[in-house]
Amino acid sequence: MRKVIITDPPRTDLAVVDDLAAYGVATVHEALGRIGYLGTGLRPIQRGTRTAGNAVTALCAPGDNLMIHAAVEQCTEGDLLVVTTTSPCTDGMFGELLATSLRSRGVRGLVTSTGVRDVAELNAMGFPVWSAAVSAQGTVKATAGAVNIPVVVGGGTVRPGDVILADDDGVMCVPRAEAGAGVRAAQARTEKEEATRAALAGGQLGLDRYGLRPLLGDQGVEYLTAAEYAEGTR
């Protein structure tokens, strides 16, 4: 790994970032063909929060948050910090004081494959976090890593300037080049879902709305009365 801090990463236009945030993880994930989801290992420490931001990445040594401090300097309004380590680590590498520093720079939240601590304080100040663990275990500041390079989180690659979208359903990454298309696809899916919602509220069944009855037949599913089923099991 090259020990480097990239000071001028590309960023997605914040208007596009905010448009994606309006739709949420599940909708955008489906709209883009079920790509970009960063897995079930990243869970929110709060509820009812949805945000999106430009990824600023920090690659750290396990148990060492030196590069998180270095990454703070590279953050600006509308960013979202993404932290991972060179090998698995669940130590509490981030807490209230780092959140205070990030908030002063307009950062919208943190996504980390490590642990966090000061959960009560983070929730009280309204700084959203998605993490792999909660841990009181502290860290050192001794080993250099890298800032604003591509990193792998939850099996997905996150590049600086990609859009990170996070809510109660988890976290996903929308590549910067696909952000505009993601907005359009999410809008189309939302309109389709609104029509479906109205149909279901009006009594139409999902079996008919989604054309699933032929599939049941093709799979050999039979409709039987209780008496017919009992007779067939004798």
Side-chain angles (χ1 to χ4, degrees):
M1 176 192 66
R2 187 175 182 183
K3 299 174 182 178
V4 62
I5 297 174
I6 305 301
T7 61
D8 58 345
R11 284 179 168 85
T12 303
D13 184 272
L14 278 182
V16 177
V17 172
D18 291 340
D19 285 344
L20 279 171
Y23 294 107
V25 172
T27 295
V28 177
H29 178 241
E30 292 285 350
L32 288 177
R34 299 184 179 179
I35 63 170
Y37 178 52
L38 298 185
T40 58
L42 299 173
R43 302 305 306 153
I45 66 167
Q46 65 285 315
R47 288 291 182 268
T49 296
R50 175 184 294 166
T51 191
N54 276 297
V56 169
T57 65
L59 181 59
C60 303
D64 191 310
N65 71 356
L66 173 63
M67 300 314 291
I68 298 180
H69 287 271
V72 172
E73 184 182 23
Q74 305 307 317
C75 289
T76 189
E77 183 76 32
D79 287 343
L80 198 151
L81 183 59
V82 178
V83 175
T84 191
T85 47
T86 54
S87 61
C89 172
T90 56
D91 294 348
M93 294 180 59
F94 182 94
E96 174 203 2
L97 296 180
L98 277 166
T100 299
S101 187
L102 286 175
R103 168 159 284 180
S104 75
R105 303 182 74 84
V107 175
R108 295 178 174 183
L110 170 80
V111 169
T112 179
S113 65
T114 72
V116 298
R117 59 185 187 176
D118 302 335
V119 171
E121 290 81 2
L122 290 170
N123 281 325
M125 65 188 292
F127 189 85
V129 171
W130 288 258
S131 69
V134 172
S135 174
Q137 179 64 48
T139 58
V140 299
K141 301 168 180 61
T143 307
V147 172
N148 280 329
I149 65 168
V151 296
V152 175
V153 179
T157 299
V158 178
R159 295 174 174 82
D162 286 349
V163 180
I164 300 298
L165 179 58
D167 59 22
D168 287 351
D169 293 331
V171 182
M172 73 170 295
C173 175
V174 181
R176 186 169 63 92
E178 299 177 23
V183 172
R184 294 188 292 273
Q187 175 62 31
R189 181 172 180 83
T190 298
E191 292 172 355
K192 181 179 179 181
E193 287 183 343
E194 288 173 352
T196 297
R197 186 177 299 107
L200 295 176
Q204 186 178 20
L205 295 174
L207 284 173
D208 299 314
R209 181 73 182 178
Y210 301 123
L212 300 177
R213 291 191 188 277
L215 178 60
L216 292 176
D218 292 343
Q219 295 290 322
V221 176
E222 301 177 86
Y223 282 82
L224 301 174
T225 65
E228 289 171 333
Y229 178 74
E231 179 67 25
T233 58
R234 288 177 185 174

